[in-house]
Amino acid sequence: MIEKVLFNREEVEQIKALAKNFYQAEVYDSGTVHVNTNIRNSLKYLFKDNSVFKELIVPKLIDLGVKDIGHESMLLKYYKGHYFTRHSDRHSNLGNRQKTLVIQLSDKDEYEGGLLKVGAKASSKDLGNVILFDAASLHEVTKITSGIRWCFLAFLEKSDLISKQTLY
């Protein structure tokens, strides 16, 4: 897992302003997509046009090895009582997810609970923090006990990543 604060409050607010209508987030299970609040309870806004944020977000990710954000990105909101149980983002029926990218859009004092845990390690709740990890890693968001947690989420495929050239 890589973490680095890359976005300031103004940039975070610009990202949050891109969301329109949130709806109950779904889970993927055995090739089907459905709502199951026993596994995942959060709200989601799925971007249909990624060009609206690429100029703001992608240039800051180059040093982390990210050159693009593919077709699967969203904003998530977690209210009191919301959570997402331990899971992996890499599934054979969901394309070629290589990395999971999360941008923390709420500051640590704006909510309680809601830790993003990748394996046994909790990520920083600092505003603007970028978390990048292997999509196969088990991770979870613990239950929100107060406030609202916002985050940007994108699933990156191989074509979104800067390939490392090896010299022989």
Side-chain angles (χ1 to χ4, degrees), residues 1 6 18 27 37 41 46 49-50 52 56 61 87 100 105 125 132-134 136 150 160 164-165:
M1 175 171 70
L6 296 177
L18 297 172
V27 295
T37 57
N41 193 2
L46 184 66
D49 176 11
N50 289 357
V52 296
L56 175 61
L61 302 176
H87 65 284
T100 299
L105 302 178
K125 291 170 58 172
L132 185 67
F133 57 92
D134 189 302
W150 285 73
D160 300 321
K164 295 184 173 126
Q165 300 295 322

Side-chain angles (χ1 to χ4, degrees), residues 1 3 5 104 108 111 115-116 121-127 129-131 149:
M1 175 171 70
E3 288 189 84
V5 175
Q104 178 68 20
K108 58 188 163 201
Y111 65 99
L115 291 173
L116 170 61
K121 185 176 186 316
S123 65
S124 167
K125 291 170 58 172
D126 289 335
L127 181 78
N129 189 40
V130 174
I131 304 107
R149 176 184 186 262

Side-chain angles (χ1 to χ4, degrees), residues 32-165:
T32 64
V33 179
H34 59 278
V35 171
N36 183 339
T37 57
N38 292 319
I39 296 173
R40 180 183 195 178
N41 193 2
S42 62
L43 300 179
K44 162 178 156 176
Y45 172 75
L46 184 66
F47 287 100
K48 296 190 184 344
D49 176 11
N50 289 357
S51 66
V52 296
F53 58 76
K54 282 189 178 183
E55 288 182 19
L56 175 61
I57 295 175
V58 174
K60 294 192 171 241
L61 302 176
I62 297 296
D63 288 344
L64 299 180
V66 177
K67 66 179 179 181
D68 198 5
I69 295 176
H71 64 284
E72 202 173 357
S73 57
M74 62 200 76
L75 286 180
L76 298 173
K77 282 186 359 182
Y78 292 82
Y79 288 93
K80 182 178 177 179
H82 283 182
Y83 59 90
F84 197 169
T85 59
R86 195 173 219 37
H87 65 284
S88 167
D89 292 330
R90 188 176 298 156
H91 307 280
S92 59
N93 59 332
L94 292 177
N96 299 308
R97 294 175 175 175
Q98 298 296 306
K99 300 282 184 184
T100 299
L101 171 75
V102 177
I103 303 173
Q104 178 68 20
L105 302 178
S106 296
D107 208 350
K108 58 188 163 201
D109 62 351
E110 295 175 354
Y111 65 99
E112 292 182 21
L115 291 173
L116 170 61
K117 291 185 175 180
V118 180
K121 185 176 186 316
S123 65
S124 167
K125 291 170 58 172
D126 289 335
L127 181 78
N129 189 40
V130 174
I131 304 107
L132 185 67
F133 57 92
D134 189 302
S137 298
L138 289 175
H139 60 285
E140 67 181 310
V141 176
T142 64
K143 188 179 281 190
I144 299 285
T145 56
S146 69
I148 303 171
R149 176 184 186 262
W150 285 73
C151 68
F152 173 88
L153 171 68
F155 301 114
L156 306 177
E157 297 184 0
K158 193 173 187 176
S159 60
D160 300 321
L161 304 171
I162 298 169
S163 62
K164 295 184 173 126
Q165 300 295 322

Side-chain angles (χ1 to χ4, degrees), residues 9-21:
R9 167 113 13 225
E10 181 181 333
E11 293 163 330
V12 161
E13 293 305 323
Q14 288 175 6
I15 295 168
K16 287 166 67 171
L18 297 172
K20 306 292 184 238
N21 298 313

